[in-house]
Amino acid sequence: MPKAKYSVWVRGYGLADSVKSGATPGRALDIKALTAKDAATAATIYPAAYWYAMMKIPEEAPVAALAGGRNGYLMWMKNMGCVGCHQLGNLATRTIPESLGSFKSSQEAWLRRLQSGQAGGQMINIVQGTLAGIPIHYLAD
């Protein structure tokens, strides 16, 4: 590693971030891994891909009427739509900001979330129009 000052800590599945320690190349460290207090706490630091991998994909029947069926759905959720602009699974795409209000259901919250921001109109048109509202169930799950 180049000679510099680094901030080093332990992070991993099932852990909470350890205390950060100052480090320089060649100097040994004694950093203790910290077990997370529960699964929800541990999951807050998991990479976006972990969360995205848990998102369910619809069976063929619910998306059969869409142009391209399931492949069309996946094309819009990935390259043409959501993943083309967002890192699905990061904190911003797996949570609903409190500032948006409170909602009766997760589906209602996600409908509101998708309408937010400068591209809200485009996002809601894709989700509710092109994809017939199907992604809301899977985002809310």
Side-chain angles (χ1 to χ4, degrees):
M1 294 180 69
K3 186 174 181 173
K5 292 182 180 182
Y6 295 90
S7 185
V8 181
W9 67 97
V10 176
R11 170 177 275 188
Y13 291 105
L15 302 176
D17 282 352
S18 70
V19 174
K20 292 181 180 179
S21 298
T24 56
R27 185 177 139 240
L29 297 175
D30 183 20
I31 303 175
K32 304 281 188 250
L34 302 173
T35 302
K37 67 179 181 177
D38 54 42
T41 301
T44 62
I45 62 168
Y46 291 178
Y50 169 88
W51 290 91
Y52 183 50
M54 291 191 301
M55 190 170 175
K56 293 182 179 116
I57 298 171
E59 296 295 326
E60 288 286 346
V63 293
L66 300 179
R70 190 202 248 158
N71 284 337
Y73 173 87
L74 291 172
M75 176 191 69
W76 278 103
M77 288 299 292
K78 297 195 290 186
N79 307 35
M80 298 295 291
C82 304
V83 176
C85 295
H86 304 286
Q87 182 184 28
L88 287 191
N90 70 359
L91 185 62
T93 64
R94 70 175 191 260
T95 58
I96 305 292
E98 285 184 28
S99 61
L100 291 182
S102 51
F103 304 92
K104 296 175 189 169
S105 69
S106 293
Q107 291 184 5
E108 185 180 294
W110 275 101
L111 280 169
R112 174 62 182 89
R113 172 73 173 89
L114 290 175
Q115 295 175 58
S116 301
Q118 64 189 33
Q122 289 174 290
M123 291 190 297
I124 206 70
N125 284 340
I126 292 169
V127 168
Q128 291 294 87
T130 306
L131 298 177
I134 296 166
I136 294 299
H137 170 76
Y138 298 93
L139 290 166
D141 187 39

